[in-house]
Amino acid sequence: MARIGLIPAAGAASRISPLPCSKEIYPMGFRCEPGQGIKPKAACHALLESMAIAHAERVYMVLRSGKWDIPAYLGNGALYGLNLAYLVTDPTPGVAFTVDCAFPFVQNHVVLFGFPDIVFTPNDAFVRLLDRQQASGAGVVLGLYRAQRSHKMDMVEIDSAGRVREILIKPPATTLEHAWIIAVWTGVFTRFMHAYLSEASAPDRSENKELHIGAVIRAYMGEGFVVETVIFDNGQYVDIGTPEDLIAAVKAGVQGLDPQ
């Protein structure tokens, strides 16, 4: 099975609009290119770099119409050592439906999944998730980080062996400490999600409700499947999806998260 990166980028970024560009390529620090000096680094840089380090054979980014500045900036992915391709979708009820647009291209492969507006370390995070997946045989492995704002995250409860017991979607209050930021999953979960969304799509689309990937993972666990985790307590992440988070990221100097 090939390793395929999968990135949802079909959102409107309404919470931080207006922006001069799509949030996925918003400048967030700098990188040093050998022989070329200092270059700006886009928000999605950390994600693409981590996928390249994990030897993703190709990466699909799912866009909505109008976000043409993303392929104009990222091109074919050569800057990151990746084969980057783009899929275009109409507006969807949420990330899970956006991701499912890539089903024909990823259904039989190992998927490396992440959010392009979250900057994170370490840069070998996907390598460690893949190692856990291969050792455990689990259909899903989640990368966990200490949550900064639990009411905005999918909070994860695990047992002593690192297996997921429960996922709470953006709880108003919780004692849980970890949220999942990235994931690796196999075709078993990809096909489960496709079937699940096929059944859920009509009511969710008509009610304009967002169906989170975390909710799909909960349903997957409800069928008896095991979900494993890797905890990155020494890792960092910054989510730029809301005004307060974007302000905090800029003030903190996100280039400090550069996993060099």
Side-chain angles (χ1 to χ4, degrees):
M1 294 184 291
R3 297 175 178 181
I4 309 296
L6 183 53
I7 303 174
S14 56
R15 292 176 296 178
I16 55 174
S17 65
L19 288 176
C21 61
S22 295
K23 67 176 179 177
E24 294 83 359
I25 56 172
Y26 192 85
M28 300 299 291
F30 300 88
R31 67 183 190 276
C32 183
E33 293 293 325
Q36 300 183 34
I38 301 298
K39 301 292 183 181
K41 184 167 61 178
C44 64
H45 177 98
L47 178 60
L48 292 171
E49 182 180 50
S50 188
M51 288 180 172
I53 290 172
H55 302 295
E57 295 185 25
R58 55 188 177 274
V59 176
Y60 293 107
M61 184 174 280
V62 186
L63 309 174
R64 64 173 174 81
S65 180
K67 300 182 75 168
W68 311 127
D69 57 341
I70 294 178
Y73 181 80
L74 297 177
N76 63 4
L79 175 64
Y80 304 94
L82 294 168
N83 294 311
L84 180 59
Y86 304 91
L87 304 173
V88 181
T89 180
D90 293 328
T92 71
V95 174
F97 289 98
T98 299
V99 168
D100 191 55
C101 294
F103 177 76
F105 306 95
V106 303
Q107 60 181 304
N108 296 315
H109 300 293
V110 175
V111 167
L112 285 61
F113 173 83
F115 299 94
D117 56 352
I118 297 181
V119 184
F120 64 90
T121 66
N123 58 7
D124 68 344
F126 280 114
V127 174
R128 293 165 63 177
L129 264 63
L130 287 165
D131 288 345
R132 184 61 177 263
Q133 191 283 317
Q134 291 169 2
S136 66
V140 180
V141 180
L142 302 179
L144 305 187
Y145 290 73
R146 290 194 178 276
Q148 299 165 6
R149 296 176 175 84
S150 59
H151 64 286
K152 297 181 180 180
M153 310 299 293
D154 288 0
M155 301 300 295
V156 182
E157 179 185 358
I158 60 174
D159 63 18
S160 59
R163 294 177 175 175
V164 177
R165 284 179 173 168
E166 179 61 286
I167 298 176
L168 302 181
I169 312 297
K170 298 182 179 181
T174 181
T175 59
L176 298 179
E177 297 181 346
H178 293 95
W180 75 271
I181 299 297
I182 59 174
V184 162
W185 64 67
T186 69
V188 174
F189 178 72
T190 300
R191 292 186 290 272
F192 173 89
M193 180 162 58
H194 183 68
Y196 184 83
L197 295 178
S198 296
E199 296 176 359
S201 60
D204 281 326
R205 289 180 187 274
S206 64
E207 296 172 17
N208 197 30
K209 289 184 177 180
E210 180 175 359
L211 182 59
H212 297 272
I213 291 181
V216 181
I217 297 173
R218 286 182 64 190
Y220 176 78
M221 292 167 53
E223 295 296 320
F225 293 103
V226 172
V227 175
E228 297 276 354
T229 64
V230 175
I231 299 176
F232 297 99
D233 273 341
N234 294 323
Q236 296 177 294
Y237 78 92
V238 175
D239 182 347
I240 68 166
T242 64
E244 57 268 32
D245 290 328
L246 180 57
I247 291 170
V250 172
K251 285 183 176 180
V254 170
Q255 62 268 32
L257 290 179
D258 193 1
Q260 298 296 331

